[in-house]
Amino acid sequence: MIWEVHAVKYADRNARTRADSFIFDDNHDAPHAMDYFMWVLRSGDHTILVDSGYDGPEAGARGRPIRMEPGEALAPLGITPDKIDTLIVTHLHYDHAGGLHLFPNAHLHLQSAEMAYATGPCMCHDTLRMPFTAGHVCEAVTRLYHGKLTFHDGDSEIADGVTVHCIGGHSRGLQAVRVRTAAGWLVLASDAAHYYENFQARKPFPIVVDLQNMLDGFETLHQLASDPKLIVPGHDPLVRTLFPQGVAPHITRLDQGPT
């Protein structure tokens, strides 16, 4: 199967510096903006959502406003949250799993290592626990107990032309998503590379549980993609510049390659 891929921006955070994005950066105090995305995969009648974003209450609790609720952001694609039946969760950080409850009919796909990490002794450390919210993790556990969560260990196929690959690094069970498109194998890095500069210059992101896994993961992204131009970082505003606009200003079409 050949898939369409859409990056859906629902939030941004511009009061950041390069010190928030790169370890050992020489220009640490320069401004460095961040975009927040979900991703939609489509092939015929099949739709897969990658990550769920986070909602207004989570935005208020963290002081990180969103520009639109996840359901509203997906509307231009003709998607309503109740119609999503397959949801790949790249990891359980608040900005990727904070909207799971908005998609009540979705069957989740998650790495076993991520659930073990988010519910294990590492969460005794404030620094490692900070990107998680207990309610989001509990939502994933609830799906598990309702038979609506599939665990993956490493590489796995979700559908014809859609595979997941455990990278780790940023979070213990972080997974990237590889998608067969008209332009070739495209890789949604999610937070295996927040920015192009992370994997192009091998510069690690500061929120990290295993630095070696993060650095090794940059090479894995290159191995998975047909072309380095088809590696799509998880938070880089440049994605919206390099790829064409989709059906709405906040949606970017990825599957035909960069312009």
Side-chain angles (χ1 to χ4, degrees), residues 37-228:
F37 297 101
M38 302 174 288
W39 299 272
V40 173
L41 318 181
R42 276 182 161 172
S43 183
D45 295 331
H46 301 282
T47 299
I48 297 174
L49 181 64
V50 179
D51 289 341
S52 67
Y54 64 99
D55 62 6
E58 182 70 13
R62 288 188 178 264
R64 295 183 176 181
I66 55 175
R67 291 195 173 272
M68 57 186 76
E69 293 285 344
E72 178 189 356
L74 294 170
L77 290 166
I79 295 172
T80 56
D82 61 303
K83 298 300 183 184
I84 294 294
D85 60 12
T86 303
L87 203 168
I88 298 172
V89 186
T90 63
H91 58 305
L92 288 169
H93 285 176
Y94 79 95
D95 52 323
H96 296 261
L100 294 181
H101 64 289
L102 303 173
F103 303 92
N105 300 318
H107 188 102
L108 309 185
H109 292 267
L110 183 72
Q111 290 285 327
S112 298
E114 184 67 3
M115 183 66 86
Y117 175 56
T119 59
C122 285
M123 294 300 101
C124 296
H125 300 290
D126 292 344
T127 300
L128 297 178
R129 189 173 63 242
M130 178 272 296
F132 295 93
T133 295
H136 308 156
V137 179
C138 289
E139 177 65 26
V141 172
T142 298
R143 298 294 173 97
L144 171 63
Y145 274 79
H146 284 85
K148 299 178 70 173
L149 188 152
T150 297
F151 286 119
H152 301 276
D153 292 297
D155 301 342
S156 191
E157 184 179 70
I158 306 301
D160 181 35
V162 179
T163 58
V164 294
H165 306 269
C166 190
I167 303 291
H170 175 66
S171 187
R172 189 78 70 191
L174 169 67
Q175 57 186 352
V177 183
R178 186 183 193 224
V179 189
R180 185 190 294 121
T181 71
W185 284 105
L186 179 142
V187 176
L188 298 174
S190 183
D191 289 0
H194 288 66
Y195 295 90
Y196 283 101
E197 196 170 347
N198 289 128
F199 71 86
Q200 289 177 345
R202 303 304 199 269
K203 297 177 69 171
F205 191 82
I207 298 177
V208 55
V209 63
D210 190 309
L211 186 55
Q212 181 181 357
N213 283 353
M214 179 179 284
L215 292 168
D216 290 346
F218 296 154
E219 180 57 34
T220 300
L221 296 176
H222 281 276
Q223 293 171 359
L224 291 172
S226 294
D227 187 293

